């Protein structure tokens, strides 16, 4: 009897698993060819914030009927993946948070030229000279701090100060993220390798390491760490929602063309090996078009739109007041930054 | 007609020769025991007869039909041979009734008469029918295993050490019950065992196996009293071996003058004396004098370890438990009945 | 049967070939440069400290709790037996989430040590409790008769007998720790596995990531070797199939109250806190939404991947296990050992190996479910092997023989005898692998094809953006799915499968 009961329960379990397998595989959600009618389905390697891109892509699909599958990851994860995959990549379009990964992919000659009409939608400083990709959003570096722990007089005047001895244990960063790596690439472009290496060594000693910028801000808010280096929109997003994770946090914009005022450009490009060149160009064009930029500006992402004539969310500090350093987009060297950070022990 | 006839059978595993030319004939409705120490190849022989393995060469006939040999091989499911493995191997997922009816087909499996019949045949109550194997004692499991093997009505049953896992008290009764069931169904049986008392008490014919060959095939009495050689002698029972010179069918030895079984030419010989042939004699003249060294008392009988005074030879005698001497007593011994004699060269 | 078994063994060794091949191709100097740097030293120290601390704590807690439940008059032993194993139903990264979402004070070494200990002590508790249950009480009685008190007896007689169980259990704890990603990443405690992941995020399968993987693999193999050495040639009484002797339970007396407090405290920390925290976020979390469609789709994907992966893994284990059980030999032993290698390979290493191997040599399977399945198979083949072997042991060849003599041919024998006998074991094995896949995070993050979201990856993506409330439903679903299989582990029969 006992044995039969066991057989029965085991059989039941197997049956459940089998049944579930049947519906699970039918769910799949991964078949790129299905349901799009005659239109092509694009594969987007997305390193931008998933929620923002979901909104923009949904609007694009609504307007054009072209479906888009997203593979989400970090700038350099997907960038290096594209490099590895080479011409066999399933990707049609690549979108990043920051430009160094675009430069990496571009350096391997994997991008097709962006349509002139698309380039014309943004001011020229937001696209590289070779026109292989184009910017569609910008974000500013900010220094966030907890005013109850850090007096105004003690605030740094440059991001370079954070490597100094007195900042030991007082600053939080997320070095594994592409955002911080982009900031480092700006430091490298502006200050050179020796200074950057020394700066990173100092940071290694001083900084508390978090996973992601939200975690950094949350830690500052909770008083776990006095300050941190993140992008501007984390604070605005939280303020717009409830302020729960930012009510004890203030922002400091370094300005003065300090590397710490670095304005990072999110880029988009068409992969040369894509079998859907026209549709891919359409998607990139959409991203910095008036329609795309409106979705961006109205979204909760709170990044700066950079398309001609687009206006940012009014809550943000205006783009014109940021005084960022002038950096040639193509000189931002991702792999070198990762190497320097590895040497410094931050990765 | 013969139930089983095996001719010149050989089998090797890797480079080890396990069976080296076996010839055996099993008469119908008899019980034949294959007796041998572990590793002698007896289980292999059984497996070849059952059809679990194929022989390398030689032939096996069942009821006159060739089932193995000359390029022919009949699968076990077509040989109509019953099999009772060690510890019964009852199917643990089936109850007793389903185990017994496993080999039945069609209506016979569905209606329960046959199961009832078989249960009573092997001496089990019908209440055990709903039980699962793990709820049965070892002896009960063996009986069910036999019932299961008998169910399809095979003419031959193979029993592989069926009682070795039972304790001594159960072994005897279970053995008898098995024998009765076999006789009642007129089934021929081939019993593999390493236990000589089991072989001698249950079988009509005993085949003693050694190193992949049959050393002797005969009745239990023949095998015990007139073993083919001293090796067989020592395997089938306790033995006292004495050296002597045989002249005209009798020999004079440390144990006195002994009658030798016919068939041995005069000359030097080694004699086989069974411990129970050694008797204590009351008279002070007969027999040879010996000192009791120690005594193993079993109740119904006793084993005496003795030193023959004249030669210093140590011998064992098996005597009735009714009057047992104490150690250090001096006794007189004589040997009753004829003894087997063997040549001196090994 | 042999050819597929050899192929399967080779597949199981892909990570090893990959790492070895990689080190060879980048050359010695580069390998040294990438390995011999301060960050690696730091990771080695972090990982070592965590493993050492956790092995020590889980040994003490696991043994102590097993002794209380199996050998004393502790009230409610039956219930505690289940509750003490129950933390296995809460994946370590969910446990970690439970704590870290309540207080950031658990970040860092002390917190990480506490949380992984709470998650992994059942892996020691289970084998030790089984061992205690099977231990012949005569040994302890003999020791008592020789004049030793209970404490002495425990140290000199019981503990040496528990050695294989303790070694086995702590080895598994250590291997789990080396492979642990989610829990430690959340606690901001960098180890090799989290560092490899960070490297992957910053450079895909770059040299630094691969070399870290090589070092991690080396650590795992060293652990396995160490354990083999320690276990050595000592022989211990085999556990009987259920000793007929009744084992007397020691009266706790005045120690009853503190013992009870200890058990209650442990289960509260290991089970109460994570489940409580999960409930809290489910009920009140600000970002909690119940996107039913998303939840259902994700659950279906997880279940589908789990079921398909479990079937594939079990199917791969079958030929190898069959050969091991039915055709023992030097080659089959070697094949079996190879399939157990997956035990020593963290998911992150498997994933990195497969990404690189697929891109270079097997483009068509790259970014497909097939590759993900392969990763699951390599990782969970050891679990499947243990259960398939145990299942096959339920159907020794003698049953086939008996069935044949009763007139049943091979197919009928398979249907009437073999399958019914091995089905429960195969079912349990499938369930265990299924569970492991549903809660797998690291390899899934790296290998899931475009658009494939599982409960674990969705949970992870939400916790990464601090959306604790949004993450909670996914975590809860994983716990719910894990619970029934965990109950299975409290049954004696399946204890050995907590690998």
């Amino acid at each position: 009897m006992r044995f039969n009961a066991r057989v029965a329960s085991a059989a039941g379990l197997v049956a459940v698993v089998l049944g579930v397998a049947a519906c699970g595989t039918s769910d799949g959600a991964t078949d790129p060819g299905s349901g799009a009618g005659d239109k092509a389905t694009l594969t987007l390697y997305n390193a931008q914030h998933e929620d923002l891109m979901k909104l923009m892509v949904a609007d694009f699909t609504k307007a054009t009927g072209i479906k888009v599958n997203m593979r989400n990851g970090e700038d350099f994860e997907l960038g290096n993946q594209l490099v590895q995959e080479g011409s066999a990549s399933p990707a049609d379009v690549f979108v990043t948070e920051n430009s160094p990964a675009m430069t990496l992919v571009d350096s391997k000659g994997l991008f097709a030229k962006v349509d002139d009409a698309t380039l014309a939608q943004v001011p020229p400083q937001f696209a590289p000279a070779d026109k292989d990709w184009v910017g569609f959003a910008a974000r500013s570096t900010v220094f966030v701090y907890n005013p109850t722990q850090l007096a105004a007089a003690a605030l740094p005047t440059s991001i370079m100060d954070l490597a100094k001895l007195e900042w030991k244990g007082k600053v939080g960063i997320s070095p594994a993220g592409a955002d911080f790596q982009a900031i480092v690439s700006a430091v490298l472009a502006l200050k050179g390798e020796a200074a950057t290496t020394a700066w990173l060594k100092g940071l290694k000693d001083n900084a508390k390491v978090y996973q992601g910028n939200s975690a950094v801000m949350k830690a500052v808010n909770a008083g776990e760490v006095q300050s941190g280096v993140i992008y501007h929109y984390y604070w605005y997003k939280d303020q717009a929602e409830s302020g729960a994770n930012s009510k004890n946090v203030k922002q400091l914009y370094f300005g003065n063309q300090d590397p710490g005022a670095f304005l990072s450009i999110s880029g988009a490009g068409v992969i040369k090996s894509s079998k859907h060149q026209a549709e891919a160009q359409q998607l990139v064009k959409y991203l910095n078009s008036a329609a795309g930029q409106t979705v961006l500006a109205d979204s909760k992402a709170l990044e700066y739109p950079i398309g001609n004539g687009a206006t940012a969310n009014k809550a943000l500090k205006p783009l014109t007041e940021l005084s960022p350093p002038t950096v040639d987009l193509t000189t931002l060297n991702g792999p070198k930054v990762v190497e320097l950070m590895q040497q410094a022990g931050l990765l | 007609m013969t139930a089983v006839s095996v001719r010149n059978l050989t089998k090797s595993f890797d480079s080890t020769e396990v069976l080296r030319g076996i010839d055996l004939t099993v008469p119908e409705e008899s019980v034949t025991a294959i007796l041998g120490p572990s590793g002698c190849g007896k289980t292999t022989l059984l497996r070849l007869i059952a059809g679990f393995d194929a022989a390398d060469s030689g032939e096996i006939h069942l009821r006159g039909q060739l089932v193995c040999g000359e390029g022919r091989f009949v699968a076990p499911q077509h040989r109509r041979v019953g099999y009772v493995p060690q510890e019964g191997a009852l199917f643990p997922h089936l109850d007793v009734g389903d185990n017994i009816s496993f080999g039945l087909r069609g209506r016979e499996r569905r209606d329960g008469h046959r199961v009832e019949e078989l249960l009573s045949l092997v001496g089990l109550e019908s209440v055990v029918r709903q039980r699962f194997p793990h709820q049965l004692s070892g002896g009960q499991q063996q009986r069910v295993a036999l019932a299961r093997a008998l169910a399809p009505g095979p003419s031959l049953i193979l029993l592989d050490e069926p009682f070795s896992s039972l304790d001594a008290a159960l072994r005897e009764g279970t053995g008898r019950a098995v024998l009765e069931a076999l006789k009642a169904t007129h089934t021929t049986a081939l019993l593999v065992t390493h236990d000589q008392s089991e072989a001698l008490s249950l079988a009509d014919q005993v085949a003693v196996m050694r190193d992949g060959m049959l050393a002797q095939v005969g009745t239990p009495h023949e095998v015990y009293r007139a073993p083919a050689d001293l090796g067989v002698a020592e395997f089938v029972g306790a033995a006292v071996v004495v050296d002597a010179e045989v002249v005209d069918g009798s020999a004079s030895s440390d144990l006195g003058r002994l009658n030798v079984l016919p068939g041995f030419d005069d000359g030097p010989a080694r004699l086989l004396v069974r411990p129970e042939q050694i008797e204590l004699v009351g008279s002070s003249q007969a027999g040879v004098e010996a000192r009791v060294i120690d005594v193993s008392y079993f109740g119904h009988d006793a084993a005496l370890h003795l030193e023959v005074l004249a030669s210093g030879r140590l011998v064992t005698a098996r005597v009735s438990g009714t009057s047992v001497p104490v150690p250090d007593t001096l006794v007189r011994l004589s040997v009753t009945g004829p003894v087997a004699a063997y040549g001196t060269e090994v | 049967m042999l050819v597929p078994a050899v192929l399967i063994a080779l597949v199981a060794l892909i990570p090893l070939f990959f790492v070895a091949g990689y080190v060879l191709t980048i050359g010695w100097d580069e390998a040294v440069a990438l390995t011999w740097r301060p960050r690696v030293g730091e990771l080695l120290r972090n990982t070592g400290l965590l493993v050492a601390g956790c092995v020590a704590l889980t040994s003490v807690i696991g043994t102590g709790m097993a002794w209380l439940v199996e050998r004393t008059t502790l009230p409610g032993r039956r219930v505690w037996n289940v509750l003490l194993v129950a933390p296995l139903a809460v994946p370590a990264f969910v446990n970690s989430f439970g704590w870290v979402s309540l207080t950031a004070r658990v970040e860092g070494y002390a917190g990480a040590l506490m949380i992984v200990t709470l998650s992994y002590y059942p892996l020691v508790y289970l084998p030790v409790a089984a061992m205690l249950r099977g231990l012949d009480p005569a040994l302890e009685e003999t020791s008592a008769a020789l004049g030793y008190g209970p404490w002495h007896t425990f140290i000199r007689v019981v503990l040496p007998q528990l050695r294989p169980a303790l070694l086995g259990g702590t080895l598994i704890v250590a291997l789990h720790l080396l492979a642990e990603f989610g829990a430690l990443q959340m606690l901001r405690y960098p180890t090799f596995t989290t560092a490899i992941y960070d490297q992957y995020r910053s450079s895909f399968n770059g040299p630094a990531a691969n070399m870290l993987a090589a070092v991690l693999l080396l650590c795992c193999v060293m652990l396995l070797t160490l354990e083999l050495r320690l276990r050595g040639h000592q022989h211990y009484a085999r556990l009987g199939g259920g000793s007929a002797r009744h084992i007397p339970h020691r009266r706790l007396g005045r120690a009853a109250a503190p013992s009870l407090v200890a058990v209650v405290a442990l289960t509260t920390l290991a089970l109460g806190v994570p489940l409580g925290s999960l409930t809290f976020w489910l009920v009140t979390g600000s970002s909690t939404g119940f996107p039913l469609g998303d939840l259902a789709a994700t659950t279906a994907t997880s279940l589908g991947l789990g079921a398909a992966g479990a079937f594939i893994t079990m199917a791969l284990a079958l030929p190898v296990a069959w050969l091991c059980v039915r055709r023992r030999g030097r080659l089959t032993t070697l094949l079996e050992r190879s399939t157990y290698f997956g035990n020593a390979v963290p998911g992150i290493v498997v994933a990195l190996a497969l990404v690189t191997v697929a891109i270079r040599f097997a483009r068509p399977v790259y970014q497909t479910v097939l590759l993900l399945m392969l990763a699951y198979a390599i990782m969970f083949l050891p679990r499947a092997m243990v259960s398939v072997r145990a299942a096959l042991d339920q159907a020794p060849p003698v049953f086939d023989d008996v069935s044949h003599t009763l007139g049943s041919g091979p197919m009928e024998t398979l249907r009437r005898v073999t399958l019914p006998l091995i089905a429960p074991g195969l079912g349990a094995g499938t369930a265990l692998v299924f569970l492991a896949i549903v809660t797998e995070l690291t390899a899934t993050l790296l290998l899931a094809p475009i658009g494939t979201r599982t409960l674990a990856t969705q949970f992870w993506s939400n916790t990464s953006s601090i959306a604790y409330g949004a993450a909670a439903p996914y975590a809860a679903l994983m716990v719910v799915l894990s619970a029934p299989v965990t109950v299975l582990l409290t049954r004696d029969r399946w204890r050995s499968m907590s690998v």
Side-chain angles (χ1 to χ4, degrees), chain C residues 74-398:
Chain C
L74 184 79
R77 290 191 304 273
R78 246 164 206 282
V79 177
W80 293 124
N81 183 34
V82 174
L83 286 182
L84 283 169
V85 180
L88 285 181
V90 184
F93 58 87
V94 173
N95 187 18
S96 185
F97 159 83
W99 283 88
V100 85
S101 63
L102 294 184
T103 167
R105 289 160 99 178
V106 291
E107 290 175 355
Y109 179 69
L113 180 60
M114 177 190 77
I115 286 171
V116 291
T117 301
L118 290 175
S119 277
Y120 291 142
Y121 79 84
L123 296 174
V124 175
Y125 169 85
L126 274 172
V128 171
M131 202 71 154
L132 276 176
R133 192 172 300 175
L135 213 59
D136 189 348
L139 292 171
E140 287 154 80
E141 288 160 6
T142 310
S143 169
L146 290 170
Y148 292 108
W151 183 240
H152 241 86
T153 298
F154 185 79
I155 297 288
R156 298 195 45 184
V157 178
V158 180
L159 212 51
Q161 297 283 325
L162 295 181
R163 197 168 124 143
L166 265 175
L167 275 177
T170 49
L171 172 74
I172 292 167
V173 167
L175 289 173
H176 269 78
L177 279 178
L178 289 181
E180 181 57 59
F181 163 68
L184 299 175
Q185 184 84 329
M186 240 180 278
L187 294 168
R188 301 200 308 106
Y189 187 76
T191 64
F192 272 107
T193 298
T194 66
I196 294 171
Y197 183 74
D198 287 349
Q199 288 290 350
Y200 177 83
R201 301 282 273 177
S202 332
S203 61
F204 198 53
N205 60 351
N210 289 340
M211 281 316 298
L212 284 181
V215 177
L216 177 56
L217 193 62
L218 197 66
C219 291
C220 293
V221 172
M222 272 163 46
L223 258 182
L224 271 185
T225 323
L226 184 72
E227 198 257 359
L228 276 178
R229 280 275 169 81
L230 284 176
R231 191 168 283 194
H233 309 290
Q234 298 211 35
H235 290 281
Y236 297 93
R238 205 176 67 83
L239 285 178
S243 138
R245 292 279 314 266
H246 174 73
I247 299 173
H249 289 267
R250 190 172 293 284
R251 302 197 72 78
L252 278 174
R254 261 186 306 173
S259 305
L260 205 56
V261 168
V263 182
V264 171
L266 179 65
T267 44
T268 308
L269 290 178
L271 208 57
V273 171
L275 293 186
S277 163
L278 209 54
T279 315
F280 168 78
W281 286 111
L282 277 177
V283 174
T284 67
S286 58
S287 53
T288 309
F290 276 92
L292 278 179
D294 273 5
L295 277 174
T298 314
T299 308
T301 305
S302 273
L303 293 179
L305 287 177
F311 276 106
I312 291 173
T313 310
M314 292 295 282
L316 291 180
L318 257 173
V320 185
W322 191 86
L323 278 179
C324 290
V325 172
R326 295 283 176 100
R327 300 267 188 282
R328 271 235 80 83
R330 199 172 283 188
L331 179 64
T332 51
T333 308
L334 191 68
L335 292 179
E336 186 186 19
R337 295 262 164 84
S338 314
T339 60
Y340 281 118
F341 188 69
N343 251 347
V345 193
I348 191 110
V349 179
V350 173
L352 264 182
L354 289 183
V355 164
T356 310
V357 170
I359 286 185
R360 299 218 182 129
F361 308 111
R363 270 298 166 81
V365 298
Y366 177 63
Q367 287 215 6
T368 62
V369 177
L370 192 67
L371 201 62
L372 186 58
M373 292 291 141
L374 200 60
Y376 291 150
I378 293 174
M379 290 167 71
F380 303 127
L381 208 51
R383 265 172 237 233
M385 281 292 293
V386 171
S387 19
V388 175
R389 283 205 58 167
L392 288 179
D393 283 340
Q394 301 298 308
V398 65

Side-chain angles (χ1 to χ4, degrees), chain A residues 131-172:
Chain A
K131 303 177 178 179
D132 279 353
W133 56 273
V134 65
F136 70 96
R139 54 269 294 286
S140 172
T141 311
V142 292
F143 178 81
V144 287
Y145 62 101
N146 190 321
T148 59
Q149 296 188 335
L150 199 57
L155 291 175
T157 52
S158 163
I159 196 168
M160 303 308 282
D161 294 347
L162 300 178
K164 291 179 182 165
L165 211 57
E166 64 259 33
W167 284 91
K168 192 165 178 60
K170 292 182 184 166
V171 60

Side-chain angles (χ1 to χ4, degrees), chain A:
Chain A
M1 288 298 129
R2 195 168 61 96
F3 196 90
N4 275 351
R6 216 160 52 208
V7 173
S9 58
L13 198 61
V14 171
V16 167
V17 168
L18 268 172
V20 158
C23 31
T25 43
S26 69
D27 175 76
T30 56
D31 184 2
S34 69
D38 297 323
K39 298 253 183 172
T41 297
L42 291 175
T43 295
L44 169 63
Y45 274 25
N46 171 42
Q48 244 290 358
H49 289 261
E50 200 181 327
D51 41 6
L52 170 63
M53 284 316 285
K54 263 189 186 165
L55 284 176
M56 297 186 79
V57 159
D59 191 53
F60 170 74
T61 304
K62 205 169 80 185
T64 62
I66 299 169
K67 289 207 169 185
V68 180
N69 269 326
M70 284 168 34
R71 179 179 184 87
N72 299 298
E74 294 275 316
D75 287 1
F76 282 111
E77 174 188 355
L78 294 175
N80 278 298
Q81 188 171 0
L82 277 167
V83 171
Q84 291 255 342
E85 290 170 356
S87 59
S89 176
D92 299 302
V93 175
F94 182 36
V95 164
T96 60
E97 277 197 81
N98 306 284
S99 51
M102 299 303 286
T103 309
L104 170 72
V105 174
D106 194 14
S107 71
K108 306 287 176 186
L110 295 172
F111 282 134
K113 291 260 179 281
V114 174
D115 287 351
D116 285 343
T118 310
L119 290 165
Q121 292 180 140
V122 293
Q125 72 265 31
F126 295 128
D130 65 6
K131 303 177 178 179
D132 279 353
W133 56 273
V134 65
F136 70 96
R139 54 269 294 286
S140 172
T141 311
V142 292
F143 178 81
V144 287
Y145 62 101
N146 190 321
T148 59
Q149 296 188 335
L150 199 57
L155 291 175
T157 52
S158 163
I159 196 168
M160 303 308 282
D161 294 347
L162 300 178
K164 291 179 182 165
L165 211 57
E166 64 259 33
W167 284 91
K168 192 165 178 60
K170 292 182 184 166
V171 60
I173 56 174
S174 170
D179 294 355
F180 190 77
Q181 290 167 10
I183 297 169
V184 177
S185 74
V187 173
L188 178 62
L190 293 163
K191 301 280 179 183
E193 185 171 337
T196 307
T197 302
W199 182 67
L200 287 172
K201 288 249 159 66
L203 270 186
K204 168 66 185 166
D205 292 338
N206 289 349
K208 290 176 109 175
V209 169
Y210 292 86
Q211 299 302 326
N213 289 340
S214 311
V216 171
M217 185 176 71
K218 195 168 172 245
V220 173
N221 185 59
E224 275 176 56
V225 64
Q226 294 183 0
S227 68
V229 175
I230 60 176
Y231 281 152
H232 73 278
Y233 51 84
Y234 291 95
W235 187 84
Y236 287 108
K237 271 164 90 170
D238 194 69
Q239 288 284 314
E241 202 166 297
S242 66
N245 291 320
S246 62
K247 57 181 182 291
N248 305 321
V249 178
K250 278 194 156 181
Q251 297 194 97
L252 170 70
Y253 289 82
F254 287 115
N256 288 327
Q257 281 140 38
D258 186 76
F262 172 60
L263 190 69
S264 184
I265 305 302
S266 298
V270 172
I271 303 298
K272 200 188 255 170
S273 62
S274 163
K275 307 230 171 9
H276 311 294
Q277 288 293 328
E279 293 87 348
Q281 291 287 357
Q282 254 184 290
L283 176 56
V284 173
K285 184 177 184 187
Y286 164 81
L287 291 177
N288 56 14
S289 70
Q293 294 288 298
T294 307
V295 173
L296 174 71
D298 291 350
S299 76
K300 291 181 187 164
L302 295 166
E303 297 190 33
Y304 291 104
I306 55 172
N308 294 325
T311 43
N313 187 301
K314 296 219 165 39
L316 299 181
K317 186 178 171 97
L319 202 51
T320 48
E321 293 172 22
L322 293 178
S323 178
T326 311
V327 185
D328 178 358
L329 288 178
T330 53
T331 62
L332 297 179
N333 186 337
K336 184 73 190 171
V337 163
V338 169
E339 189 190 322
L340 292 178
M341 288 177 73
Q342 278 168 1
Q343 279 167 14
L346 280 165
L347 276 175

Side-chain angles (χ1 to χ4, degrees), chain B:
Chain B
M1 207 213 258
T2 54
V4 183
S5 160
V6 169
R7 266 180 245 147
N8 202 22
L9 210 59
T10 66
K11 176 75 181 172
S12 299
F13 291 110
D14 298 327
S15 56
T16 320
E17 270 193 297
V18 181
L19 296 183
R20 304 189 295 166
I22 300 283
D23 289 286
L24 178 67
T25 303
V26 178
E28 291 253 318
E29 295 192 35
S30 74
V31 175
T32 294
I34 300 172
L35 175 66
S38 57
C40 74
K42 56 189 191 300
T43 296
T44 303
L45 175 59
L46 193 82
R47 294 180 61 79
L48 294 186
I49 295 172
F52 301 145
D53 291 308
D56 295 340
S57 70
E59 291 171 11
I60 301 171
H61 289 83
L62 295 180
R63 295 173 305 280
Q65 281 197 318
L66 181 69
V67 295
C68 181
E70 291 178 5
R72 187 176 154 81
F73 181 79
V74 177
Q77 58 268 35
H78 303 306
R79 292 193 183 189
R80 302 205 336 106
V81 165
Y83 176 49
V84 180
Q86 280 185 43
E87 299 177 30
L90 297 180
F91 299 125
H93 61 299
L94 301 177
D95 67 12
V96 168
D98 288 342
N99 259 289
I100 293 176
S101 59
F102 187 93
L104 300 175
R105 304 277 139 176
R107 216 184 45 157
E108 230 183 355
R109 189 193 295 172
R110 285 192 297 275
D111 75 31
H113 297 314
R114 188 89 176 106
V115 172
E116 295 290 338
E117 220 175 280
L118 285 156
L119 278 175
S120 76
L121 184 69
V122 297
L124 287 174
E125 309 264 336
S126 60
V127 289
V128 302
R129 194 173 166 166
Q130 320 290 338
R131 299 216 182 121
F132 275 84
H134 67 267
Q135 299 167 306
L136 303 178
S137 73
Q140 286 174 321
Q141 290 187 16
Q142 285 302 346
R143 290 172 194 229
V144 175
L146 179 70
R148 178 179 64 181
L150 287 172
S155 48
L156 173 67
I157 290 264
L158 305 172
L159 301 123
D160 186 4
E161 304 261 8
F163 313 118
S164 61
S165 60
L166 304 183
D167 51 41
L170 263 174
R171 214 174 283 183
E172 172 90 22
T174 312
R176 282 294 128 200
V178 166
L179 210 56
E180 278 165 29
L182 292 172
K183 297 291 176 205
T185 51
H186 307 287
T187 311
T188 312
L190 201 54
L191 165 74
V192 157
T193 179
H194 66 268
D195 179 331
Q196 59 276 28
S197 63
E198 197 172 288
L200 298 175
S201 64
L202 296 177
D204 305 310
Q205 174 178 261
V206 176
V208 182
M209 197 162 174
R210 191 172 54 197
D211 297 333
M213 299 204 277
L214 291 181
Q216 186 176 7
V217 181
T219 64
H221 188 259
E222 283 165 2
V223 168
Y224 187 75
R225 296 311 303 274
D229 54 47
L230 282 173
V232 172
E234 283 173 343
F235 185 69
V236 297
V240 175
V241 178
V242 292
D243 296 316
E245 189 77 18
V246 176
V247 180
D248 286 342
S250 89
S252 86
S253 73
D254 292 353
L255 298 177
R257 181 151 288 279
L258 309 180
N259 287 328
V260 175
L261 287 168
F264 187 82
D265 297 335
D266 290 358
R270 312 194 70 195
L271 306 177
L272 164 67
V273 181
R274 294 294 184 191
E276 65 276 10
Q277 284 181 281
I278 300 177
E279 287 187 330
L280 304 187
V281 289
S283 135
S284 59
Q285 277 84 39
V288 297
E289 199 172 15
R291 189 167 56 86
V292 178
I293 298 169
D294 61 35
V295 176
S296 304
Y297 183 66
F298 300 116
H300 46 80
D301 61 2
L304 304 184
H305 301 279
L306 304 153
E307 182 185 9
V308 177
L309 287 186
S311 62
R313 171 187 295 280
L314 299 176
V315 299
T316 303
R318 195 98 184 183
V319 301
S320 153
T322 47
S323 62
V324 178
V326 296
D328 278 339
T329 326
L330 290 181
V331 296
R332 297 191 80 86
L333 311 176
S334 78
V335 174
T336 62
V339 297
Y342 303 90
T344 47
E345 54 290 353
V346 183

